[in-house]
Amino acid sequence: MGENLRSTRYSDGSVIANYSNYDNDPSNDEAYGKLYSWYSANNVPEGDNNTPANSSVGFFGPYVQGVCPDGWALPNDADFMTLFNTAGVADQLKEANSQYWLPGHDGTLPNTGFNARGAGFYDNNLDRYLNLLGETYFWTGDVSTTSVKGHCAVINYYCPESLLQEQDKGRGQSVRCLRMY
């Protein structure tokens, strides 16, 4: 997808349990999309660290549909690594518009068309929204994660490289979906 997900329902019509807009401000929805917990992104009951996400076999391996619409899935770690290696530097993955990143840290042109925006995140342990315009985190579909940490891809304002990390599954982060063929 060319932008962050903003869905409030799974593809079967059921309501997504844990999502928000940055600062609970609806005006942030259009620019930055929703922030989802790992549980919601992977369609696993909130707080359940023992049930892996349901997956189906895709062309490049198992994929998790999770919060993504029919025909789409959460990118896995390998998908994000391919994106990062292809782009070379994080600035080519960022939106080349200064209103979406801290001053002097927006993306470059030409870029990959991924157009990441500094959507920040919700820190569930601090009960605070943090780093709008400074960084963005994308949950990955990780069928093997059975701990309190989930995998995510990170793009931030100060680092020339994008990377993969683990973060608390209750944290609110962005989602991009990958079209499955």
Side-chain angles (χ1 to χ4, degrees), residues 60-75:
F60 295 108
Y63 281 92
V64 174
Q65 179 180 358
V67 71
C68 297
D70 287 338
W72 296 77
L74 291 170

Side-chain angles (χ1 to χ4, degrees), residues 6 32 35 48 55 62 70 74 78 111 116 133 146 151 153 169-171 177-179 181:
R6 292 189 294 272
Y32 303 105
L35 301 173
D48 184 344
S55 66
D70 287 338
L74 291 170
N111 67 15
L133 306 181
T146 56
H151 290 198
K169 289 180 178 179
R171 210 169 122 131
C177 299
L178 179 66
R179 181 84 170 146
Y181 292 98

Side-chain angles (χ1 to χ4, degrees), residues 142-157:
D142 181 6
V143 297
S144 63
T145 300
T146 56
S147 69
V148 295
K149 302 275 185 180
H151 290 198
C152 62
V154 184
I155 300 171
N156 60 42
Y157 78 95

Side-chain angles (χ1 to χ4, degrees):
M1 290 185 160
E3 58 187 37
N4 294 352
L5 193 66
R6 292 189 294 272
S7 182
T8 60
R9 296 188 176 272
Y10 291 108
S11 65
D12 67 2
S14 61
V15 174
I16 297 169
N18 191 352
Y19 68 87
S20 64
N21 297 317
Y22 189 91
D23 259 350
N24 288 315
D25 183 347
S27 69
N28 285 322
D29 190 51
E30 183 67 30
Y32 303 105
K34 303 261 187 249
L35 301 173
Y36 301 90
S37 71
W38 179 93
Y39 305 103
S40 290
N42 283 271
N43 198 4
V44 172
E46 289 292 316
D48 184 344
N49 293 316
N50 296 311
T51 302
N54 289 328
S55 66
S56 58
V57 177
F59 186 72
F60 295 108
Y63 281 92
V64 174
Q65 179 180 358
V67 71
C68 297
D70 287 338
W72 296 77
L74 291 170
N76 60 35
D77 292 358
D79 294 320
F80 273 108
M81 286 309 300
T82 298
L83 177 67
F84 297 161
N85 291 333
T86 301
V89 294
D91 286 350
Q92 291 190 336
L93 296 170
K94 295 177 186 176
E95 173 86 35
N97 183 330
S98 60
Q99 79 182 56
Y100 300 114
W101 289 96
L102 291 172
H105 296 285
D106 49 306
T108 59
L109 289 174
N111 67 15
T112 61
F114 189 76
N115 294 326
R117 295 177 176 180
F121 63 94
Y122 171 73
D123 188 316
N124 57 307
N125 294 314
L126 298 175
D127 191 25
R128 295 180 53 185
Y129 292 89
L130 299 166
N131 295 340
L132 185 68
L133 306 181
E135 55 193 343
T136 191
Y137 294 78
F138 299 99
W139 288 120
T140 68
D142 181 6
V143 297
S144 63
T145 300
T146 56
S147 69
V148 295
K149 302 275 185 180
H151 290 198
C152 62
V154 184
I155 300 171
N156 60 42
Y157 78 95
Y158 60 84
C159 185
E161 297 175 347
S162 304
L163 53 123
L164 295 172
Q165 289 183 347
E166 288 188 337
Q167 293 292 341
D168 188 281
K169 289 180 178 179
R171 210 169 122 131
Q173 298 182 168
S174 299
V175 167
R176 288 281 179 106
C177 299
L178 179 66
R179 181 84 170 146
M180 303 305 299
Y181 292 98

